[in-house]
Amino acid sequence: PAGKSSPTEKGEVTAAAVCASCRVPARGHKTLELALAWDMPRVHFGSKEKLHLRRYTRFFGSRGDAAPALSHHALTHYEEWERKIEAWQKPILENSQLPSWYKSALFNELYFMTDGGTIWVELPPDCCAEDLQGPAGAGLSHLLPVLREYGRFAYLEGQPGVLVAVALPVPLLGACCCSACYLSNISCSVPSPAVTVVNEDVQSRQYLMGGQTAQVKLKNVVPHDIGDPGDEPWQRVNAYLMHDTADWKDLNLKFVLQVYRDYYLTHDSLYLRDMWPVCQAVMESELKFDTDNDGLIENGGFADQTYDAWVVNGASAYCGGLWLAAVCMMCKMAEVLGDAEIQQKYTDILSKGKEAFERMLWNGKYYNYDSSGSATSSSIMSDQCAGQWFLGACGLDQGEFEVFPKSHVVSALKTIFEKNVMSFAGGTMGAVNGMRPDGVPDTSSVQSNEVWIGVVYALAATMIQEGLVEEGFHTAEGCYRTVWERLGMAFQTPEAYREKKVYRSLAYMRPLSIWSMQLALERKAGQAPAPAQPLQVPIHP
């Protein structure tokens, strides 16, 4: 019946049906259209402290009576949506040089953008300009209108999981993985979660590993996540409890990498100016991890990065490579912004760091896992070229900005393909995270013996960037065939699996990194953005 009705009782089953009829003439046809809409405009997270209104309420109201209007909107616009979707997908789907499995993976992995615990809400009305304070008192209050315009968009790290904030508008590269949560996201544009929370200290919390107590959030340190949906996200960040992520070596670096990546893709110079003081602050905070002043940060002898169960000590291929990539991008951003002093500072660091990285980690074929000299420090890490991946995606992998010798990168990728891919599961399951030089998986941790699908897609993108196109597609195909066909996990791609009978964290965000493969292919085809040029008006310290 029309009008209000009582909610169902617990265990009560109810159903509804909609029907339509029409007369179909002989040899003719008719089309019946059906729209189904849910109108749930008001959101409370677990704490129920704040009321959040979904984004669409600015157009359809928040009273909960918009389902007819939403249905009408769908019925009057769906043909236009279908045309736009077809125009977007058609060049890829009709490209005979791309394998069918890749086309399937590329578009279908986007399920997570809507089915990943996704939420898009309006900025709360009590958020004011005074809340937007950047590092060292840098004013970011002028970003409030941008935040109000785009609202807050987030999805889960995995299901279940902590919330990961994604800035809007999100560039094509999507949520390019590198590491868990805010790390996995690595696709931040303005308004960015780090803009509002990077400058805060937050109360203490006890962490699971070792039982130590530390502050939840330190000033000038990028948070791991935007909070627990069972609590009050955005209000209380860093729900992750295993480690104190203030000591993680990759969080700050990935913020800097994604800032320049987003500028490279959008050429939004105002965005770059707004993010510049934040980048300087988080990099200055990161410098404390260069304990011997050789231009290269050191890991602390525990799992202090996204591989949060895989211990790393001293200089490392993964974090060291990300560090050098971030330093390189600081040089480039400083050049674009005309900040000569900062450009010189990071140019000097880069020069020292590159020499230390090669001296301490290059073994003639690939970069060692770390420089500790432990029994597994010579393991072959599939993610050892993560820094090069991001540099290549931003057009900074050659010429004056070449950080890692091209011959070394290609040699490392060929070694990974030979050992981590082809020597693992007959070359049919992607790349295992860690492989010993003798072709046996590294079992020193639960994560070294896993395949991380998002990392594999990023690895494949790096191979494509470096001209190893066939190897890149073969590597990625192993993951697709395993997840979407053999394991039957379509539209719930896990974070990780092992060679036999083990998978972990269904429906994870990291595999969205497959879009970096498409970016690499477009760059090779000459469709990538033009290199960023210096701005006309320099800034001064």
Side-chain angles (χ1 to χ4, degrees), residues 404-446:
F404 309 99
K406 189 69 68 173
S407 61
H408 289 188
V409 172
V410 172
S411 175
L413 292 173
K414 288 182 175 179
T415 302
I416 294 167
F417 184 72
E418 176 192 348
K419 299 292 187 179
N420 301 56
V421 179
M422 299 307 295
S423 298
F424 175 75
T428 63
M429 295 183 72
V432 67
N433 283 340
M435 181 68 83
R436 298 296 301 144
D438 60 1
V440 176
D442 183 337
T443 58
S444 63
S445 86
V446 64

Side-chain angles (χ1 to χ4, degrees), residues 262-415:
D262 289 356
Y263 167 69
Y264 173 76
L265 291 177
T266 65
H267 286 195
D268 186 341
S269 57
L270 179 60
Y271 162 73
L272 189 64
R273 284 186 183 278
D274 289 335
M275 294 298 100
W276 183 232
V278 186
C279 288
Q280 292 182 71
V282 298
M283 286 296 282
E284 193 65 33
S285 173
E286 191 80 8
L287 277 168
K288 66 179 177 288
F289 298 127
D290 181 8
T291 56
D292 54 7
N293 196 34
D294 65 350
L296 190 63
I297 62 170
E298 286 81 39
N299 290 87
F302 64 102
D304 53 356
Q305 25 76 45
T306 188
Y307 297 89
D308 55 2
W310 194 357
V311 172
V312 57
N313 195 10
S316 69
Y318 179 66
C319 290
L322 290 173
W323 161 256
L324 292 180
V327 171
C328 175
M329 290 189 185
M330 287 294 289
C331 295
K332 182 61 178 179
M333 286 188 284
E335 177 192 278
V336 170
L337 294 168
D339 195 334
E341 181 178 340
I342 296 297
Q343 182 180 2
Q344 188 59 55
K345 173 182 176 178
Y346 283 98
T347 298
D348 293 343
I349 293 173
L350 184 60
S351 178
K352 290 194 301 180
K354 289 196 297 185
E355 188 278 328
F357 187 83
E358 296 295 325
R359 171 171 44 83
M360 300 177 73
L361 296 168
W362 180 248
N363 64 18
K365 290 192 67 178
Y366 61 91
Y367 293 102
N368 287 332
Y369 177 67
D370 66 23
S371 64
S372 66
S374 68
T376 57
S377 67
S378 61
S379 286
I380 307 162
M381 187 186 195
S382 65
D383 215 3
Q384 64 182 268
C385 294
Q388 178 70 10
W389 167 51
F390 237 71
L391 289 169
C394 298
L396 295 178
D397 54 345
Q398 53 195 338
E400 62 175 312
F401 288 101
E402 181 180 284
V403 174
F404 309 99
K406 189 69 68 173
S407 61
H408 289 188
V409 172
V410 172
S411 175
L413 292 173
K414 288 182 175 179
T415 302

Side-chain angles (χ1 to χ4, degrees), residues 452-512:
W452 286 11
I453 296 90
V455 168
V456 172
Y457 287 153
L459 169 64
T462 313
M463 290 175 171
I464 291 170
Q465 287 172 186
E466 302 304 324
L468 303 175
V469 178
E470 184 177 340
E471 291 88 341
F473 274 105
H474 182 93
T475 298
E477 182 179 3
C479 281
Y480 174 82
R481 301 288 186 194
T482 299
V483 171
W484 290 76
E485 296 178 356
R486 289 193 289 273
L487 296 181
M489 293 178 178
F491 303 105
Q492 50 182 342
T493 306
E495 156 74 321
Y497 57 74
R498 290 192 182 182
E499 184 175 2
K500 295 180 180 178
K501 298 183 179 179
V502 176
Y503 66 88
R504 180 168 58 80
S505 189
L506 276 178
Y508 201 80
M509 65 184 295
R510 202 187 306 261
L512 285 166

